[in-house]
Amino acid sequence: MAANINTASNVPLPSTPDLERQPLLNSNGNGANPYNTNGNPNGSHRSHIPSTLGLGRRRPSESEQHEERREKIRKCWRVGMLAILFAMLGFLAMCLYELFVGHTGDSPYTHLRGSCDHVAPISPVEFEERQTNLSRLLVDLKAAAYIAEPGINMQYFTDIKWSQSERPFLLIVQAKKDKTDTVLTKTTIVAPAFEASRARQKIIPGASYTIKTWEEGASAYKVVREVLDTPWAGTDPIDDEDDEEEIRNKKPKKDVQHVYIDPDMRQFVAAGLADTLDNSQRKVEIANRSIGLLREQKSAHEIEILRCVSTTTVNVIRAVKQHIQVGVRESEVQEMLTLAYEEAGLSYEAGGSLVLFGKDAALPHGSGNDTRLEKGMMVLIDSGARLHGYLSDITRTFWVRRGHNKEMNDELDKVWETVKNAQTAALEAIKPGVACSSIDKAARHVIAEQGYGAKFTHRLGHGLGMEGHEEPYLNIGNTDTELKPGMVFTNEPGIYVEGSYGIRLEDVVLVTETGYEILSGNLAESSTEP
């Protein structure tokens, strides 16, 4: 029995496994422990690997898993609500900024806002003064009347804007002196009968105009003749034929009456008036040059408008220049100009500027390309906008990035300086009494001295006001027109090398009693600072 006990003592008891000899992992293959160490009747057993390694972690119950999912959902909900809250706060902040500072997505041109808010439009009193000035001139010229059809001159004298058509719509301004040598004015509108009501709506409130009409199938020119044949006195409108009987029997003057027609009148209208009015007592002719001077010599108020619209245009170009980068297209700069003018409050037609890069500028009015800006290309912007009916016209040429070709860079800098010097020489030649041709010659001489005479291909400048191009014209052949105080025109020399580049600088100039004023402010400072 002792032997049996000794033999049994060499075998480990089932309840005390030999951990040194026990396999590390349970296995159904060789080396499986024949002893059941955990009471499992299938003989499976646990590894002695520490439970901290996770191999022996208890699987969460179904309720615990459900609670864990609910917690994750609650966490996502809280994060989502916070995100929505922050988005709402951000939107509220932008709305408050819009309300108290400016609109959302503000443009980079907000500093231009209100540039000309202080400048008033032409008043009804000023339009009346213009007709009075015209009447005084007609009396001095011994002319009975001035006749114009829709266009800038009609608008200048009456503020009536009317489209031209095959049906004549005419302005008649008659003038004479009374017994006290006071100049009297009578203003008549001749309109198609069915347009009479619309014509009355176009008349400035309070203006003493007479409206005479003609029916379809009748002659507008015969109505004009009736107006001129009817004696008149005073300044009150005459609407009824019976009111004219008192003065109808007065003996007409036997002197030849000059009837001036507007130089811009269409040929068929001018011919119709001449055929109907011209006789031994009346002569129809193109308006005297001195009548044109009424528009050419600007009033103080007109000058104020032109000064503001011109300086603002310079500021627009300078502001846009700061946002032009290599790679931008000409059309994209056009969009920048449109936005800048909108901020400035000027009237501007989108795409109404010349934006020319590099060789595109070699043609003064462009080539219709939409070139992408590259290093070594200069940028030319010729731009203008409108304020209260008056236009600006400014050109700047400048660098954004010089190229790698130093020789070409140097040539462009030299040409830019030559154009600037030519512009300055023209300014120094401006004074009352000087012929327009001499101003052009002064600029052209500077350019010719530098060897680019043949590359200055257009006139030096043109008048500016209610039209973009008007009298006086500064060209080498205009020897008859002398500068007078109040005239406003552009000074825009340029040099153009086709296939390579074009450089032009343009500013707006006023003739003063003693010289000139640059209405557009300071000239371009350098080829990098327009």
Side-chain angles (χ1 to χ4, degrees):
M1 188 166 180
N4 291 335
I5 293 172
N6 292 337
T7 303
S9 64
N10 293 327
V11 179
L13 295 176
S15 60
T16 59
D18 185 354
L19 295 179
E20 292 181 358
R21 298 174 61 187
Q22 183 177 336
L24 292 177
L25 297 172
N26 292 333
S27 174
N28 293 328
N30 295 332
N33 189 353
Y35 300 100
N36 184 359
T37 60
N38 57 6
N40 190 330
N42 296 326
S44 61
H45 58 276
R46 291 178 296 177
S47 167
H48 71 282
I49 296 175
S51 62
T52 55
L53 295 179
L55 298 176
R57 180 179 298 170
R58 183 179 65 82
R59 183 178 180 181
S61 66
E62 185 176 345
S63 62
E64 289 174 332
Q65 292 177 7
H66 180 67
E67 182 61 29
E68 185 178 352
R69 284 195 297 271
R70 291 183 62 185
E71 180 60 28
K72 289 180 179 179
I73 292 172
R74 284 194 292 268
K75 184 177 181 181
C76 290
W77 184 85
R78 287 193 295 269
V79 172
M81 289 301 295
L82 283 173
I84 293 173
L85 178 61
F86 281 122
M88 293 179 65
L89 288 174
F91 179 75
L92 178 61
M94 288 190 292
C95 290
L96 291 174
Y97 180 81
E98 159 72 14
L99 182 62
F100 295 106
V101 180
H103 58 78
T104 303
D106 242 343
S107 79
Y109 310 115
T110 54
H111 64 285
L112 297 171
R113 290 179 185 173
S115 296
C116 295
D117 286 355
H118 62 287
V119 181
I122 302 299
S123 68
V125 172
E126 289 173 281
F127 285 108
E128 186 175 335
E129 290 174 352
R130 291 174 179 181
Q131 292 181 44
T132 300
N133 293 335
L134 174 60
S135 295
R136 292 195 183 103
L137 192 54
L138 291 174
V139 168
D140 292 342
L141 296 171
K142 295 181 171 46
Y146 167 84
I147 304 176
E149 64 169 336
I152 291 297
N153 287 327
M154 179 183 287
Q155 186 178 336
Y156 174 80
F157 288 114
T158 66
D159 198 32
I160 293 177
K161 305 175 185 68
W162 195 276
S163 298
Q164 293 181 345
S165 74
E166 73 281 5
R167 297 181 176 95
F169 181 96
L170 301 167
L171 164 71
I172 306 172
V173 178
Q174 295 172 268
K176 67 179 180 180
K177 284 184 177 180
D178 64 10
K179 295 179 181 179
T180 63
D181 278 344
T182 300
V183 174
L184 305 179
T185 303
K186 180 184 176 185
T187 303
T188 306
I189 300 295
V190 175
F194 74 94
E195 294 276 37
S197 295
R198 187 163 74 96
R200 289 189 181 91
Q201 294 174 2
K202 297 289 184 179
I203 294 175
I204 297 173
S208 55
Y209 298 172
T210 299
I211 295 181
K212 296 293 183 180
T213 62
W214 56 279
E215 298 289 344
E216 295 279 279
S219 171
Y221 311 119
K222 288 183 179 179
V223 175
V224 174
R225 185 177 63 192
E226 291 172 4
V227 171
L228 297 181
D229 286 345
T230 302
W232 62 280
T235 58
D236 294 328
I238 303 172
D239 289 319
D240 300 320
E241 296 297 327
D242 292 340
D243 295 335
E244 301 173 8
E245 290 299 329
E246 299 177 8
I247 55 177
R248 189 181 292 278
N249 295 325
K250 285 188 177 180
K251 209 171 193 179
K253 293 183 179 179
K254 294 184 179 180
D255 296 337
V256 175
Q257 294 182 332
H258 298 278
V259 175
Y260 286 134
I261 59 174
D262 189 89
D264 295 333
M265 183 175 286
R266 291 173 295 175
Q267 185 176 7
F268 81 91
V269 177
L273 288 171
D275 290 344
T276 305
L277 301 180
D278 228 358
N279 55 41
S280 58
Q281 296 297 316
R282 186 179 291 125
K283 181 69 174 175
V284 176
E285 52 193 306
I286 300 297
N288 187 283
R289 163 72 180 152
S290 56
I291 292 178
L293 286 173
L294 293 176
R295 259 186 63 201
E296 290 178 44
Q297 292 181 271
K298 271 59 177 182
S299 68
H301 190 181
E302 289 177 293
I303 292 168
E304 180 187 14
I305 296 173
L306 285 165
R307 182 185 292 113
C308 194
V309 71
S310 297
T311 55
T312 301
T313 298
V314 171
N315 291 336
V316 163
I317 295 175
R318 288 173 175 169
V320 167
K321 190 260 183 186
Q322 303 304 316
H323 300 276
I324 300 176
Q325 298 179 348
V326 170
V328 72
R329 288 193 177 277
E330 292 169 346
S331 59
E332 292 176 295
V333 177
Q334 290 276 16
E335 294 171 1
M336 295 180 195
L337 289 166
T338 300
L339 179 57
Y341 279 120
E342 180 182 348
E343 293 288 5
L346 300 183
S347 178
Y348 176 75
E349 183 178 352
S353 301
L354 284 172
V355 178
L356 307 172
F357 297 162
K359 65 181 181 181
D360 287 355
L363 299 179
H365 287 163
S367 57
N369 298 327
D370 189 15
T371 299
R372 191 181 296 277
L373 183 63
E374 299 175 5
K375 288 192 295 185
M377 290 181 174
M378 294 196 89
V379 175
L380 186 153
I381 297 179
D382 186 339
S383 187
R386 193 179 289 273
L387 175 66
H388 303 321
Y390 290 80
L391 285 160
S392 58
D393 194 358
I394 304 294
T395 303
R396 291 290 187 267
T397 308
F398 51 86
W399 285 110
V400 172
R401 288 284 298 277
R402 287 183 169 85
H404 300 296
N405 188 333
K406 184 178 183 304
E407 183 178 348
M408 177 56 72
N409 294 342
D410 292 344
E411 178 178 351
L412 290 171
D413 283 335
K414 174 189 174 185
V415 171
W416 193 95
E417 288 295 336
T418 299
V419 172
K420 172 69 177 293
N421 292 337
Q423 191 183 41
T424 302
L427 288 172
E428 293 172 350
I430 295 173
K431 59 183 179 180
V434 172
C436 287
S437 58
S438 64
I439 313 303
D440 181 287
K441 289 177 182 178
R444 204 168 296 276
H445 176 71
V446 172
I447 292 175
E449 275 192 330
Q450 295 299 316
Y452 297 99
K455 304 301 182 183
F456 182 10
T457 56
H458 54 72
R459 67 192 174 208
L460 177 67
H462 53 81
L464 190 67
M466 295 177 72
E467 291 181 292
H469 289 186
E470 60 183 42
E471 293 279 0
Y473 295 105
L474 278 68
N475 61 65
I476 199 168
N478 192 0
T479 57
D480 295 332
T481 303
E482 295 183 353
L483 299 184
K484 297 183 181 299
M487 286 183 171
V488 175
F489 50 80
T490 63
N491 177 4
E492 49 178 311
I495 294 175
Y496 311 92
V497 179
E498 289 196 27
S500 187
Y501 61 82
I503 296 176
R504 178 167 69 252
L505 298 173
E506 178 181 18
D507 283 271
V508 180
V509 183
L510 164 70
V511 181
T512 65
E513 294 290 342
T514 57
Y516 68 90
E517 176 192 342
I518 304 173
L519 292 184
S520 47
N522 296 327
L523 302 176
E525 295 179 12
S526 70
S527 59
T528 58
E529 296 296 331

